Amino acid sequence: MTLDLFQQGGVGAEQLASGTSLLHGFVSDQAGALLADIARVETEAPFRQMVTPGGHSMSAFMTNCGPLGWTTDRSGYRYTSCDPVTGRPWPAMPEGFRALAREAAQKAGYPNFDTDACLINRYLPGSRMGLHQDRNEQDYGAPIVSVSLGLPVVFLFGGLRRNDKPLRLTLNNGDVLVWGGPDRLRYHGVNTLKPGCHELTGNCRINLTFRKAS
């Protein structure tokens, strides 16, 4: 992929590839309610910097909600039904989360999406996420639904090979990116978050990633 595509906001759906749609501002009017739900999740399962199998701390802070939560430590990447920090089940997924994931997937051409895992990332200035594939799910037939809240960030959307040149997409507050089908295993990541202040999130960006893990 050789195209650099920068978005400066707006509304509507944009098809980026055969299996990928960017829904500009899709949840802008829901951002406050979503952040309130995230705060409730955080009281039960606090954000933390997880450790990769190689022993490196991830720069983004993470937590989960739903029947399954994605986690990583020295023993590997995996989904678990319980939070390894608290020993309790991950917090229940708010119904508003399920509804928006279902609606966004439908808008992007993926009907009947039923998420069972929501990974919540909090990026502070200087945080980033290297190019990777989401491969820990049992079935790649369901799409990935990714919601951006707060500060804008440049999202890197690569190809099916790690060395494919990625698209560079500026994701703004309320944008939702959905990819699946032939694009499901594309490499993707997040450029280093630049300093700033957003009226809803302050100096950070929050990302909700909905998946069908089981």
Side-chain angles (χ1 to χ4, degrees):
M1 303 175 73
T2 59
L3 175 66
D4 282 358
L5 179 63
F6 289 88
Q7 297 296 337
Q8 300 300 326
V11 295
E14 178 181 5
Q15 187 168 1
L16 302 178
S18 59
T20 303
S21 293
L22 176 55
L23 311 179
H24 298 281
F26 190 74
V27 295
S28 295
D29 61 348
Q30 303 176 45
L34 294 174
L35 289 167
D37 280 335
I38 291 167
R40 286 190 284 271
V41 168
E42 183 183 5
T43 63
E44 296 184 49
F47 281 99
R48 77 293 304 263
Q49 286 178 286
M50 297 185 186
V51 176
T52 68
H56 303 289
S57 293
M58 303 187 74
S59 63
F61 290 78
M62 301 179 176
T63 189
N64 293 274
C65 63
L68 295 172
W70 185 87
T71 189
T72 174
D73 55 26
R74 293 301 293 265
S75 64
Y77 306 113
R78 62 196 181 279
Y79 283 97
T80 63
S81 58
C82 290
D83 181 347
V85 171
T86 67
R88 299 190 298 268
W90 293 105
M93 189 182 303
E95 184 51 41
F97 284 19
R98 290 186 184 278
L100 83 84
R102 199 162 46 239
E103 292 166 11
Q106 174 77 36
K107 182 77 171 179
Y110 298 98
N112 305 315
F113 176 55
D114 185 20
T115 178
D116 60 5
C118 176
L119 172 60
I120 308 172
N121 293 328
R122 184 173 66 197
Y123 294 86
L124 297 174
S127 300
R128 60 182 296 274
M129 186 77 71
L131 286 172
H132 65 282
Q133 295 172 302
D134 291 339
R135 299 185 65 95
N136 300 123
E137 298 73 30
Q138 294 183 20
D139 183 357
Y140 301 148
I144 303 293
V145 176
S146 177
V147 178
S148 292
L149 300 171
L151 290 176
V153 75
V154 175
F155 183 83
L156 304 175
F157 192 55
L160 298 176
R161 299 174 300 177
R162 185 182 292 276
N163 61 352
D164 288 340
K165 185 176 181 180
L167 262 67
R168 297 163 57 85
L169 309 168
T170 297
L171 299 180
N172 295 288
N173 178 63
D175 288 348
V176 180
L177 186 65
V178 183
W179 69 96
D183 298 331
R184 173 60 177 76
L185 290 178
R186 285 190 183 274
Y187 281 88
H188 55 282
V190 175
N191 260 8
T192 302
L193 184 69
K194 295 181 179 180
C197 185
H198 192 275
E199 61 181 347
L200 292 176
T201 63
N203 70 335
C204 71
R205 170 187 183 251
I206 303 291
N207 172 234
L208 303 171
T209 303
F210 296 98
R211 307 168 186 178
K212 183 73 171 70
S214 62

